[in-house]
Amino acid sequence: MASLFDLRVGGMRLRPLSVADAPQLFKEYFGDAEVSRHLSFKTHVDESETRQHIAKLQGNAGGPNSHTFALIRDDEPERVLGIVGVAVSAIEPDKYDAVEIGFGMVRDRAARRGAKDFLRALLAYLWTLPTVCRVWGFTDIQNELVLRLNNRLGFRTEGLIRGHIVRPQLGDAPRDSWVYSMTRSDWNAQH
């Protein structure tokens, strides 16, 4: 069976996230207050914070089945266009798994071109895995860009988690999040 690293769509693919990506990602993602406004940590003020954060992500900070990748173009592999997080949790070991996905893009509109198609292909890949029964994620209730994208990809808004997570750029209090999901039957009905 193919791996996530074999997935290529519109010249885009995944590769391991690297500390060497820190200078660019500090400028275009983690250090950009607009791009990072819905993240659960403060916008980075210097590149060393970004290096430390990437090192933590490389160490599977979300657990042994959690991985973070860089989304790149084949013709510009050193430039990261976005970050993709995938975390697998067993609902019933060896029978049913849920996959949480998270996705963030740099601000550059031209760099983002094709991201929706790549995400659709990522979903198609996940549904080839026989134990996956649910793909899900969450986002801030005001993250309209992600909510629109999820709707186009066929996710359903499942519910509201009140007081879920602090997003420092939006205030000091825990904020509400929308949970979105897709089941195998949802995917099959669309394709």
Side-chain angles (χ1 to χ4, degrees):
M1 180 172 290
S3 79
L4 282 175
F5 293 118
D6 297 323
L7 187 60
R8 283 184 163 66
V9 177
M12 299 176 97
R13 65 181 171 91
L14 296 176
R15 69 158 167 77
L17 189 62
S18 168
V19 173
D21 297 321
Q24 183 239 323
L25 285 177
F26 170 68
K27 285 186 222 167
E28 296 187 61
Y29 189 76
F30 294 111
D32 183 320
E34 180 64 21
V35 172
S36 64
R37 77 181 179 281
H38 291 112
L39 297 179
S40 61
F41 50 85
K42 289 186 177 191
T43 300
H44 295 174
V45 295
D46 63 47
E47 193 180 303
S48 68
E49 282 183 279
T50 301
R51 276 194 303 276
Q52 291 170 4
H53 189 79
I54 291 171
K56 189 160 62 167
L57 291 172
Q58 286 176 313
N60 297 330
N65 294 320
S66 177
H67 306 282
T68 307
F69 305 99
L71 179 63
I72 60 167
R73 289 194 182 281
D74 283 328
D75 61 353
E76 202 177 9
E78 68 286 345
R79 180 158 188 244
V80 178
L81 307 174
I83 296 174
V84 178
V86 178
V88 180
S89 58
I91 294 173
E92 186 176 323
D94 301 320
K95 191 170 183 183
Y96 298 115
D97 291 320
V99 178
E100 180 184 355
I101 60 171
F103 192 81
M105 293 292 294
V106 299
R107 185 193 306 242
D108 181 354
R109 203 165 175 76
R112 294 187 201 198
R113 207 170 301 122
K116 181 178 73 169
D117 292 334
F118 187 87
L119 285 173
R120 187 170 279 117
L122 173 62
L123 288 167
Y125 167 79
L126 292 173
W127 293 118
T128 68
L129 305 175
T131 60
V132 173
C133 66
R134 170 184 168 84
V135 178
W136 71 283
F138 63 87
T139 193
D140 188 82
I141 60 167
Q142 292 181 335
N143 194 343
E144 293 296 324
L145 187 64
V146 168
L147 292 169
R148 280 193 309 269
L149 177 61
N150 288 342
N151 188 47
R152 283 189 217 122
L153 291 170
F155 283 99
R156 294 182 185 192
T157 301
E158 192 169 86
L160 180 71
I161 306 174
R162 296 176 4 163
H164 176 232
I165 194 167
V166 174
R167 293 183 171 87
Q169 286 68 247
L170 301 175
D172 295 330
R175 293 180 52 85
D176 296 348
S177 295
W178 288 115
V179 175
Y180 51 88
S181 70
M182 180 184 298
T183 64
R184 186 173 292 278
S185 59
D186 295 334
W187 176 262
N188 290 339
Q190 296 172 33
H191 297 89

